[in-house]
Amino acid sequence: MVFIRSTLFTLFLLIFTPIWSVLCMLAFPFLSPENRYRFIGLWNKIVIWLLWHLCGIHYEIRGMENMLAVLNEPVVILSKHQSAYETIAYIALLPKQLCFVFKRELLWIPFFGWALALLKMIHINRANKQTAALSVASQGRKRLSEGKWILLFPEGTRTPTGSNKPYRKGGARLASATGALVIPIAHNAGRCWPKNSFLKKPGTVIFSIGPAISSTGKSGEELQQEIEGWIETEMRVIDPSAYQ
């Protein structure tokens, strides 16, 4: 049954995504950047709805009040990265317009990447770390000044459940340099949609949103250690069996 539902979901994406991407490219010249974000975000909401009702992947959000308390403040979100699920869900579920930092190769994906290129996101060349860091710093400052929140995955790539890669310091350094708050997010999306997995397993994805962390008076390295400590500690709370 999981295989059949996963197949139906994949077929839906293969048909719906090109259609939606073409609609975006046709509509975007007539929309403001904010309305472009809302328009493309409908795709995310539909996909999350379908994962819930077809594949049985539910979600639970803990700590949303931590975000609502700082809606008007500059914020850098640093999140655990286990799955494609969270990259889709954040645009659909979080209360602020987000600016993702992502590898430029995503822009080369037919239809999906073309629509993504029309949004004001931060795309980087991960092969050149120095250029990537400068791009995050310069573009990040600009997007924060525009009232957007920056979202990064400090592990850099999706990790299996129960593991983590050393956190990169780019997001923490950006927050430290700009005085932005940092909101950490832990989640267990890899339980339902593991990296590179065709199967979408039923279950509940728990998103745990931490209290805003001040960057005032902290170096990027100090801030990164505090963030990593919170996320990895919280992972053991929301998914304890993965760390036994």
Side-chain angles (χ1 to χ4, degrees), residues 11-217:
L11 289 173
F12 172 82
L13 281 190
L14 290 174
I15 296 170
F16 179 62
T17 300
I19 294 172
W20 194 256
S21 298
V22 170
L23 288 174
C24 287
M25 288 184 278
L26 292 173
F28 277 16
F30 307 100
L31 299 176
S32 67
E34 290 73 21
N35 285 331
R36 288 180 183 182
Y37 182 86
R38 295 189 186 97
F39 190 95
I40 205 168
L42 293 174
W43 179 90
N44 300 69
K45 292 178 180 180
I46 290 169
V47 172
I48 293 299
W49 183 91
L50 190 66
L51 284 166
W52 182 299
H53 293 279
L54 176 62
C55 299
I57 300 179
H58 302 171
Y59 63 83
E60 175 187 341
I61 302 176
R62 302 176 182 175
M64 178 59 79
E65 66 276 7
N66 293 322
M67 282 192 169
L68 297 178
V70 295
L71 273 182
N72 297 318
E73 301 293 333
V75 168
V76 174
I77 298 173
L78 296 181
S79 168
K80 188 72 176 173
H81 198 16
Q82 290 187 343
S83 170
Y85 183 88
E86 67 268 17
T87 63
I88 299 170
Y90 285 150
I91 289 179
L93 303 178
L94 298 188
K96 191 81 171 184
Q97 183 170 343
L98 304 176
C99 179
F100 281 77
V101 178
F102 59 86
K103 58 184 180 182
R104 65 178 182 177
E105 286 81 1
L106 292 181
L107 300 176
W108 305 341
I109 299 173
F111 298 106
F112 174 83
W114 303 342
L116 190 62
L118 297 173
L119 296 174
K120 286 187 175 182
M121 301 290 181
I122 301 174
H123 46 87
I124 59 174
N125 178 8
R126 292 203 307 190
N128 189 324
K129 292 184 179 180
Q130 184 175 5
T131 301
L134 291 172
S135 182
V136 170
S138 61
Q139 294 185 63
R141 285 178 181 273
K142 185 174 181 180
R143 298 294 173 253
L144 286 170
S145 70
E146 294 169 349
K148 301 177 179 65
W149 285 0
I150 310 297
L151 191 147
L152 301 94
F153 299 106
E155 290 169 297
T157 188
R158 290 169 291 175
T159 59
T161 56
S163 68
N164 71 283
K165 289 182 175 290
Y167 282 35
R168 299 177 180 181
K169 300 180 179 67
R173 286 173 176 167
L174 173 62
S176 179
T178 58
L181 297 169
V182 176
I183 290 184
I185 303 181
H187 66 81
N188 62 340
R191 284 289 192 184
C192 297
W193 187 348
K195 178 181 179 180
N196 298 330
S197 174
F198 174 78
L199 297 179
K200 314 299 182 289
K201 304 172 185 177
T204 299
V205 175
I206 298 173
F207 292 101
S208 182
I209 302 170
I213 298 172
S214 173
S215 62
T216 303

Side-chain angles (χ1 to χ4, degrees), residues 78 80 154-155 164-168 172 182 184-186 210-211 213 220-237 243:
L78 296 181
K80 188 72 176 173
E155 290 169 297
N164 71 283
K165 289 182 175 290
Y167 282 35
R168 299 177 180 181
V182 176
I185 303 181
I213 298 172
E221 289 73 13
E222 291 171 332
L223 192 57
Q224 179 267 331
Q225 290 177 4
E226 185 175 354
I227 294 159
E228 182 173 357
W230 189 92
I231 291 176
E232 293 304 321
T233 298
E234 186 66 10
M235 288 302 302
R236 287 154 176 80
V237 173
Y243 295 90

